Amino acid sequence: MKPSPRPALNNGVHIDQLGFGLYKVPPQDAAALVATALGEGYRHFDTAAMYGNETGVGRGIGGAIGTSMASDGGTGGSGEGVHSLERQDIFVTTKVWNDDHGYDATLRAFDTSMANLGLDYVDLYLIHWPCAGRGLFLETYRAMETLYREGRVRAIGVSNFQPGHLEQLMHKAEVVPAVNQIELHPWLQQTALRTLHEQLGIRTEAWSPLGRGHVLTDPAIGALAEKHGRTPAQIIIRWHLQVGNVVIPKASSAGRIKENFDVFDFELDAGDMDGIAGLERHHRTGSHPDNVN
Ligand SMILES: NC(=O)C1=CN([C@@H]2O[C@H](COP(=O)(O)OP(=O)(O)OC[C@H]3O[C@@H](n4cnc5c(N)ncnc54)[C@H](OP(=O)(O)O)[C@@H]3O)[C@@H](O)[C@H]2O)C=CC1
Ligand SMILES: O=C1CO[C@H](CO)[C@@H](O)[C@@H]1O
């Protein structure tokens, strides 16, 4: 399997553009699923304190470090093109949950996440939701800047931030957020927010990139799948990669984990991309950020 592209974030840290999402992965299954995904070539994992599975994710990663991996992606035996997997080969994101906003609470929440993960650092730490009603996200972000300066996180960012939240943050922040992780899929393309991110140097990361599975049923996606001899999930993931999103589909079976990573040897053409652009419905599968506090 070919490896994921690894674009640089605004601070020069590289992120695997295709990662693996772990929302709703039961804690007892997380380690095995992470190990399966590593074997298929994934090197980027997205968890959160709220998902309750950081311990399993950390165990899956810890168990794989030092094992032999083919340098083009998945697992390998011994021989040419095989190297020992190191911590720096893997990109781990976790997030501070809504109840832990505020400077001191965020630092405490980070320590708890680190203890759960059993890692020395995380690659990306995100504010999970702005929770604007609480009025604390600037203080939360200040704590994240402290963690960044201390080298405990390689990059910091936000999630579910709307333009107004970004504007307030950019006014005060000393470190420009590397990422805004938002709901984004063919039925909710977030065109205006993506443009704003580009202007600010913030990477767009797509959560629920398959619309929690619902967008897979779109007939236009089905037609493209047929045209390319691919599956609907592969068409949607390929679309995310080609528009430049970081994308973190979640899957529960080895077959789907493999299928979702097998997207680096075909391309959607301009007509295909235009067709998907036309599927916009402004349809959310999750909450609107204004309604989460
Ligand atoms: N920052 C935030 O607020 C949020 C972040 N996230 C992050 O984004 C990640 C992905 O989003 P998520 O909500 O999980 O939804 P996704 O859009 O990734 O869809 C996951 C669903 O699609 C199904 N699926 C996956 N691959 C295939 C396939 N090849 N064929 C058929 N069905 C498939 C899965 O089924 P099955 O599992 O049964 O295989 C699951 O039901 C999360 O896991 C989390 O890490 C998500 C929501 C909010
Ligand atoms: O990351 C998340 C997973 O999905 C949940 C339910 O929509 C969200 O609340 C949360 O932000």
Side-chain angles (χ1 to χ4, degrees):
M1 202 72 76
K2 288 188 179 170
S4 164
R6 300 193 84 215
L9 297 172
N10 60 16
N11 66 352
V13 166
H14 287 261
I15 185 168
D16 293 67
Q17 199 183 348
L18 176 53
F20 187 75
L22 283 126
Y23 177 52
K24 286 227 164 131
V25 171
Q28 68 277 12
D29 297 344
L33 228 48
V34 165
T36 300
L38 282 166
E40 292 302 337
Y42 294 78
R43 296 291 181 268
H44 167 180
F45 298 93
D46 183 86
T47 184
M50 180 265 197
Y51 301 168
N53 56 25
E54 288 173 313
T55 303
V57 172
R59 234 184 291 122
I61 290 169
I65 287 173
T67 60
S68 291
M69 292 274 164
S71 42
D72 64 349
T75 47
S78 57
E80 232 177 278
V82 173
H83 76 291
S84 169
L85 190 75
E86 305 298 341
R87 168 67 183 91
Q88 60 265 28
D89 298 326
I90 303 172
F91 191 100
V92 182
T93 301
T94 194
K95 316 183 190 91
V96 58
W97 185 237
N98 305 347
D99 299 337
D100 293 315
H101 274 237
Y103 188 85
D104 292 332
T106 296
L107 294 181
R108 278 196 299 274
F110 180 76
D111 285 341
T112 303
S113 284
M114 293 301 281
N116 287 340
L117 286 161
L119 300 174
D120 296 334
Y121 64 89
V122 292
D123 296 276
L124 180 61
Y125 198 41
L126 302 179
I127 301 182
H128 206 140
W129 292 87
C131 302
R134 297 186 187 204
L136 287 170
F137 70 72
L138 293 175
E139 279 302 287
T140 302
Y141 195 75
R142 199 165 61 81
M144 297 172 78
E145 290 179 320
T146 298
L147 295 167
Y148 179 65
R149 286 196 197 93
E150 289 174 353
R152 302 184 73 199
V153 297
R154 295 178 72 227
I156 55 176
V158 295
S159 176
N160 297 304
F161 273 44
Q162 296 282 98
H165 308 129
L166 288 175
E167 195 186 318
Q168 279 186 64
L169 187 66
M170 294 299 285
H171 222 67
K172 281 270 184 240
E174 293 177 7
V175 178
V176 176
V179 156
N180 187 14
Q181 186 185 107
I182 54 174
E183 180 175 352
L184 200 170
H185 44 70
W187 290 352
L188 181 73
Q189 301 189 18
Q190 303 269 22
T191 313
L193 202 42
R194 289 191 71 252
T195 302
L196 179 63
H197 292 165
E198 273 167 36
Q199 288 162 357
L200 298 173
I202 297 171
R203 226 338 132 158
T204 302
E205 180 168 4
W207 66 250
S208 294
L210 308 174
R212 300 211 153 131
H214 299 297
V215 186
L216 299 169
T217 62
D218 191 303
I221 299 292
L224 287 173
E226 201 151 309
K227 170 179 166 184
H228 288 275
R230 295 287 172 155
T231 67
Q234 289 171 330
I235 296 296
I236 296 173
I237 294 166
R238 187 68 219 172
W239 171 78
H240 281 285
L241 295 172
Q242 287 185 216
V243 296
N245 300 331
V246 172
V247 55
I248 46 170
K250 174 255 184 183
S252 306
S253 67
R256 285 179 177 176
I257 289 172
K258 184 182 174 67
E259 172 187 328
N260 293 353
F261 204 75
D262 186 10
V263 289
F264 301 118
D265 60 352
F266 78 105
E267 265 192 39
L268 300 173
D269 63 31
D272 301 335
M273 295 297 282
D274 286 348
I276 299 180
L279 301 182
E280 173 66 87
R281 300 184 185 179
H282 305 285
H283 173 93
R284 284 182 191 273
T285 62
S287 304
H288 189 288
D290 290 347
N291 300 329
V292 177
N293 275 295

